[in-house]
Amino acid sequence: MRFNAKLCISFILLCHILGSSAKPHGLSLKQSFLDRLHHFIKNFKSAAECDACKAFVDIAQVAFKTKPSEDDIVSFLTKVCIKMKIEDKTVCDGIIKEFRQEVLTVFDDYFISSNEICGSLLGPSCATKPNPDIFWNVTFPKTPKPPVRPIPPPKAGSPVIRVLHISDIHLDPLYQEGASSDCGEPLCCRKTDPQAEPGNGAGKYGDYACDTPLITLENMLKHINDTQEFDYALWTGDIPAHNVWNQSRADQLQALDYAVKLILEYLPNKVIFPALGNHESSPVNSFPPPSITGPDSNQWLRDSLASHWHHWLPDYTMSTIKKGAYYTVLISKGLRIISLNMNYCNNMNWWLLLNDVDPAHQLQWLVDTLQEAEDNGEKVHIIGHIPPGSGDCLRAWSWNYYSIINRYQSTVTAQFFGHTHNDEFEIFYDEETSKIPLSIAYIGPSVTPFQGHNPGYRIYTVDGNYANSSRVVLDHETYILDLEKANKGNVTWELEYKAKEAYKMKSLLPAEWDNLVNRMATDKDLLEMVYK
């Protein structure tokens, strides 16, 4: 069973819109509100998400005038959530309590209509979200874009570097072999779930409906240490499990601490460049910008990231990590890493309703950092969690990022993201014609098998350390653990494919990826292989 997060958030949203106008000892629910809500339950049990969202918010407009108490609303909507079978009692109770403070705080300051709310939540197919700042832009230096020169292939025998990419661990410390994978909650296979019939329960190394067992993560890290040669690793976020209705700040800090200790143990003497995922906070997706201070701030998380990431990162990165969980490192002469906090584009981050114009000034910092890199003749690799341009990233933010990549296409030679749990790629095209491919973003597979995936990781081969190196990705190889085989005793991390060989590509330059897409349009067998 998949977690219907958006519909649950709609309930939470209504709960907090109502609560934001309530007094500590406010009036009880008035009959007019109850009548409308019961009418909604009766007529919208099978409503589409968009209709349900708008109906919730419309009812909230009436409730604003009745001023019911916050506790009354929370209690009543929890019952409605259960009655409509959006989730079970445990999840309905937990998710509303989890988001109560955040959404209440946001909507105390910023009340918007059903179209605005549901357009933000579910996208333009539901409703248009009016936003006077939709076309905000970062400021580029007056330095003109340098001429784009063809990238020469490396000479035979030129040095290369190998880069490990791990993403979306989602380690579940409560995973239980033999537990039911169909427990009626968004995340199953846990010690708190009933045992399944013999032979039908969760396997020792994982289940396609559940998160990562500790034994699987440890096995993967040991396998990587024993068999792979690599120069450094990219770790693009999402550490905690998907039990988002029952996670505290202490839980998230414990998950971060435990995962870092595991990586230090199994990959000693290796430099790791991490990026922040959307599951690291509590509540999930809650990333207030630095301007939010006091108890609602997530400085608790940023300070902990700085402390834990300090194992691999230099002192000078700590200031921007503590400010906004982003940083840059010159890892060798001519090659710079930039790690972005993609939660400032996350359309499920309610804090962006207060102000979504370049939170933490991160994109302006990115422009300034790339300009300095261009001036110094450096190449840059960008890492992050949520891919720009995806449905989970705000359009205005994505557009600015796209413009930045266009301007600095000669400097940014590779991008690496996670979040989707899929093995994917994005092609960036020029702004003028939208036909010239100029950059690639690689979206790595997930370690978690959650929602139907074999656990995986990737190794990139990059044009290496020598004068005038292009620093482009030359090839990549993806390794997976076949869970069906592993749970029967054959625990083997196997090479799934190498990109150039599998797709018959001359290189992994943007033009070749564009050519692959065009070949897929007419070659059904190729399309099916890429999809597989």
Side-chain angles (χ1 to χ4, degrees):
M1 181 179 181
R2 293 184 63 183
F3 180 35
N4 198 336
K6 290 181 178 178
L7 202 50
C8 272
I9 293 297
S10 297
F11 266 102
I12 299 158
L13 186 61
L14 175 60
C15 158
H16 294 295
I17 291 173
L18 299 172
S20 66
S21 66
K23 306 299 181 184
H25 301 287
L27 300 174
S28 298
L29 287 169
K30 290 191 175 180
Q31 192 60 41
S32 61
F33 171 72
L34 285 171
D35 289 344
R36 291 198 63 181
L37 193 51
H38 281 302
H39 177 77
F40 168 78
I41 297 169
K42 180 178 179 181
N43 292 284
F44 284 86
K45 284 187 177 180
S46 59
E49 285 183 337
C50 183
D51 292 335
C53 178
K54 289 180 181 179
F56 288 145
V57 177
D58 287 340
I59 294 170
Q61 312 304 323
V62 175
F64 249 107
K65 298 177 182 179
T66 66
K67 294 186 178 180
S69 75
E70 182 181 332
D71 288 341
D72 280 345
I73 293 295
V74 170
S75 174
F76 191 80
L77 289 180
T78 302
K79 294 176 183 177
V80 174
C81 177
I82 297 167
K83 184 173 181 179
M84 292 181 66
K85 299 181 180 179
I86 293 178
E87 293 294 347
D88 70 8
K89 183 181 186 303
T90 300
V91 178
C92 288
D93 280 338
I95 199 70
I96 289 177
K97 292 176 181 176
E98 189 85 10
F99 281 87
R100 179 173 180 159
Q101 177 61 28
E102 175 186 346
V103 183
L104 170 60
T105 302
V106 170
F107 279 86
D108 270 343
D109 294 333
Y110 188 55
F111 179 71
I112 54 180
S113 69
S114 60
N115 271 356
E116 291 177 289
I117 291 171
C118 300
S120 297
L121 185 64
L122 302 177
S125 63
C126 175
T128 300
K129 180 179 84 73
N131 185 346
D133 296 318
I134 191 67
F135 297 114
W136 62 270
N137 291 306
V138 294
T139 301
F140 288 97
K142 295 181 179 180
T143 306
K145 180 178 178 177
V148 179
R149 297 182 174 86
I151 298 174
K155 296 179 180 179
S158 296
V160 297
I161 56 177
R162 285 171 60 82
V163 180
L164 169 67
H165 185 188
I166 297 173
S167 195
D168 296 88
I169 289 174
H170 290 292
L171 176 64
D172 187 357
L174 294 182
Y175 184 92
Q176 178 67 56
E177 180 183 0
S180 172
S181 61
D182 187 18
C183 65
E185 293 187 354
L187 183 64
C188 300
C189 309
R190 316 190 83 206
K191 293 178 180 179
T192 52
D193 296 326
Q195 287 290 108
E197 293 293 328
N200 294 326
K204 181 177 181 178
Y205 287 90
D207 186 284
Y208 291 117
C210 304
D211 270 328
T212 310
L214 174 60
I215 190 174
T216 303
L217 177 58
E218 289 185 314
N219 185 273
M220 183 191 75
L221 294 174
K222 184 177 186 304
H223 153 80
I224 291 172
N225 186 58
D226 291 345
T227 65
Q228 298 290 3
E229 293 290 335
F230 63 96
D231 296 275
Y232 59 84
L234 310 176
W235 182 18
T236 52
D238 269 11
I239 299 169
H242 283 89
N243 59 317
V244 298
W245 65 94
N246 185 26
Q247 292 177 340
S248 66
R249 291 182 176 184
D251 293 332
Q252 309 308 71
L253 294 179
Q254 184 178 21
L256 171 64
D257 184 68
Y258 191 70
V260 168
K261 287 178 178 177
L262 279 177
I263 291 178
L264 288 170
E265 176 184 354
Y266 283 97
L267 302 179
N269 306 316
K270 292 292 186 180
V271 176
I272 314 294
F273 296 105
L276 180 62
N278 64 299
H279 276 262
E280 267 77 288
S281 190
S282 174
V284 65
N285 298 313
S286 176
F287 294 89
S291 58
I292 302 297
T293 59
D296 294 316
S297 168
N298 73 344
Q299 193 66 54
W300 60 273
L301 176 59
R302 285 177 268 140
D303 287 346
S304 184
L305 291 173
S307 174
H308 285 85
W309 290 358
H310 204 277
H311 289 290
W312 306 297
L313 303 179
D315 290 342
Y316 63 78
T317 63
M318 296 298 109
S319 60
T320 54
I321 293 172
K322 290 181 178 181
K323 176 185 177 182
Y326 57 87
Y327 64 87
T328 183
V329 176
L330 184 66
I331 63 174
S332 63
K333 185 177 181 181
L335 179 59
R336 178 175 294 277
I337 289 279
I338 294 177
S339 178
L340 296 178
N341 179 359
M342 301 300 291
N343 292 292
Y344 291 141
C345 86
N346 184 353
N347 67 1
M348 294 295 286
N349 182 6
W350 292 102
W351 292 102
L352 300 185
L353 289 171
L354 296 176
N355 182 10
D356 63 356
V357 179
D358 196 13
H361 307 290
Q362 178 181 220
L363 286 183
Q364 193 60 58
W365 169 85
L366 175 61
V367 169
D368 297 341
T369 304
L370 289 174
Q371 184 58 56
E372 184 177 352
E374 180 181 279
D375 295 341
N376 294 334
E378 299 166 356
K379 301 300 183 185
V380 172
H381 290 178
I382 295 176
I383 68 173
H385 184 66
I386 300 173
S390 71
D392 291 341
C393 189
L394 291 171
R395 294 174 67 189
W397 199 101
S398 286
W399 175 254
N400 276 281
Y401 182 85
Y402 170 70
S403 297
I404 292 169
I405 296 300
N406 268 261
R407 166 58 184 84
Y408 294 100
Q409 73 172 96
S410 298
T411 299
V412 179
T413 59
Q415 305 170 63
F416 308 93
F417 298 95
H419 183 62
T420 71
H421 296 197
N422 294 316
D423 174 352
E424 299 175 314
F425 62 92
E426 293 182 342
I427 306 176
F428 288 65
Y429 292 86
D430 71 298
E431 287 186 284
E432 292 185 8
T433 70
S434 300
K435 295 180 180 179
I436 303 173
L438 52 83
S439 187
I440 296 294
Y442 296 99
I443 302 171
S446 65
V447 176
T448 182
F450 186 69
Q451 296 184 345
H453 301 81
N454 280 316
Y457 70 89
R458 177 173 289 166
I459 301 282
Y460 298 92
T461 301
V462 178
D463 196 13
N465 293 317
Y466 62 92
N468 300 319
S469 167
S470 68
R471 305 293 185 168
V472 299
V473 175
L474 302 174
D475 203 356
H476 69 65
E477 53 204 59
T478 300
Y479 294 82
I480 62 169
L481 178 69
D482 188 316
L483 278 187
E484 291 185 359
K485 294 179 182 178
N487 288 331
K488 293 178 181 178
N490 182 11
V491 187
T492 304
W493 290 86
E494 58 190 78
L495 173 65
E496 184 184 27
Y497 75 101
K498 295 183 178 181
K500 283 179 63 177
E501 177 185 26
Y503 300 149
K504 297 180 173 56
M505 301 170 70
K506 298 177 182 178
S507 71
L508 264 59
L509 295 178
E512 277 293 293
W513 285 107
D514 176 64
N515 179 260
L516 174 66
V517 171
N518 284 296
R519 286 192 285 132
M520 287 162 57
T522 58
D523 186 337
K524 182 179 179 181
D525 292 338
L526 175 62
L527 175 62
E528 290 180 350
M529 181 180 69
V530 173
Y531 182 75
K532 179 177 181 290

